[in-house]
Amino acid sequence: MLHIHQIRNATIIIETEKEVILVDPMLGNQGIMPPFTLFRHKARKNPTVPLPKNTYSLLNKVTHCLITHQHPDHVDNAGVQFLIKNNIPVTCSVKDEKALKKRGLNIVQSLKYWEKQPFLGGVIEGIPAKHGYGFVAKLMGNVLGFYIQLPNQKSIYLSSDTVYTNAVHKVLTNYKPKISVLACGAAQFDIFKQLIMSVKDILKFIKNSSGSVIANHMEAINHCPLTREKLKTILKQNNLHHNVYLPEDGELVTIE
């Protein structure tokens, strides 16, 4: 059995019988960061919502951490402090290893794109991610998704911040993950195109998924206009709401 706790934005905790894996810890207080957009969407300080009340009791159990990239809505100062204080072993991209070590993190493993390595008794693979459509992807820098197979558990694909690419398509159609965690929210700055999947690509992702999809990265950062309610309506209109979870912050998704 697998328990996936939605914390906030892209921060989740994956709990198995043995391991408790924290993903992309943005643990700072509400409003500690400036707005990421001023005009296109309402200028509100980030994160726009507090951490759920049950966060700290879950954090006390964490045994490992995965970091997909260095943006502050995925690993903020409070997240870094938590990882240092508890000396949590971290897996990240080979391109982020040096910078994260410099910040004091205990990096025990780093991955290249399409590289497989042993992980907690199973296997983890680095999956390419492209953070935006067109030119903005260059500015957003390197991002890594993860494909994870743990002993006696369903396979998990963490897409991270990406648009729909050939790599994403390959994972969905060849690997057929049983659980995919998809960054929704349709994030966009005041200028440039969207930074993660458009609604059209979210629908394509879900259509091509053979397992369950957990949609997150919504309603916590001010440049993400797509809400859970809007997405739920769109999924129903397209008859794609089966096998899709839209957990609220603090909610637990249990996969048998």
Side-chain angles (χ1 to χ4, degrees):
M1 192 175 306
L2 200 62
H3 300 294
I4 297 181
H5 303 267
Q6 169 61 26
I7 305 298
R8 179 178 60 183
N9 197 48
T11 308
I12 62 171
I13 288 176
I14 301 167
E15 191 175 359
T16 71
E17 285 82 5
K18 284 184 174 177
E19 309 293 344
V20 181
I21 306 162
L22 173 64
V23 181
D24 283 351
M26 176 180 70
L27 304 178
N29 293 333
Q30 182 177 357
I32 203 152
M33 290 187 276
F36 293 168
T37 165
L38 298 171
F39 314 112
R40 191 187 292 273
H41 308 299
K42 192 179 173 188
R44 290 187 295 160
K45 287 185 174 178
N46 291 308
T48 57
V49 291
L51 283 170
K53 288 188 172 67
N54 61 340
T55 305
Y56 295 102
S57 59
L58 289 168
L59 287 174
N60 285 336
K61 300 195 281 186
V62 167
T63 58
H64 201 92
C65 178
L66 297 171
I67 294 175
T68 62
H69 62 302
Q70 292 185 65
H71 292 165
D73 62 326
H74 289 257
V75 56
D76 62 1
N77 290 336
V80 168
Q81 282 161 17
F82 166 78
L83 294 171
I84 292 170
K85 185 182 167 195
N86 297 281
N87 197 31
I88 304 291
V90 176
T91 297
C92 67
S93 162
V94 85
K95 293 182 180 174
D96 291 334
E97 182 178 11
K98 200 173 163 187
L100 291 173
K101 274 185 173 169
K102 209 171 173 182
R103 290 175 80 177
L105 298 192
N106 176 21
I107 309 297
V108 295
Q109 180 178 37
S110 62
L111 291 161
K112 296 175 184 160
Y113 287 164
W114 301 120
E115 182 183 9
K116 290 180 187 168
Q117 289 186 22
F119 180 69
L120 306 178
V123 178
I124 190 166
E125 183 172 355
I127 306 296
K130 187 181 177 213
H131 201 330
Y133 296 96
F135 175 70
V136 76
K138 282 195 169 67
L139 303 178
M140 297 309 284
N142 159 70
V143 184
L144 188 71
F146 295 105
Y147 180 70
I148 306 163
Q149 293 167 290
L150 294 172
N152 312 315
Q153 295 291 349
K154 292 188 170 175
S155 53
I156 307 168
Y157 172 36
L158 305 176
S159 76
S160 187
D161 286 9
T162 188
V163 298
Y164 198 102
T165 62
N166 290 337
V168 170
H169 189 74
K170 178 182 165 180
V171 173
L172 293 178
T173 53
N174 292 8
Y175 294 17
K176 298 190 184 329
K178 293 286 186 282
I179 303 155
S180 296
V181 180
L182 177 61
C184 299
Q188 198 167 8
F189 291 141
D190 289 326
I191 53 173
F192 304 120
K193 293 178 182 175
Q194 279 165 324
L195 303 168
I196 52 179
M197 287 187 204
S198 61
V199 167
K200 186 179 158 197
D201 274 352
I202 291 168
L203 296 177
K204 187 176 174 183
F205 186 104
I206 292 164
K207 259 182 206 155
N208 290 328
S209 298
S210 47
S212 303
V213 177
I214 297 172
N216 72 356
H217 208 300
M218 285 180 282
E219 298 182 62
I221 299 292
N222 89 302
H223 69 338
C224 291
L226 183 62
T227 63
R228 293 173 176 100
E229 209 48 54
K230 269 191 221 162
L231 182 55
K232 195 185 286 180
T233 304
I234 293 163
L235 293 176
K236 280 187 173 158
Q237 286 165 352
N238 288 273
N239 199 27
L240 286 172
H241 55 295
H242 313 287
N243 288 337
V244 180
Y245 298 90
L246 294 116
E248 298 290 333
D249 292 349
E251 197 177 322
L252 167 65
V253 176
T254 299
I255 313 273
E256 296 287 347

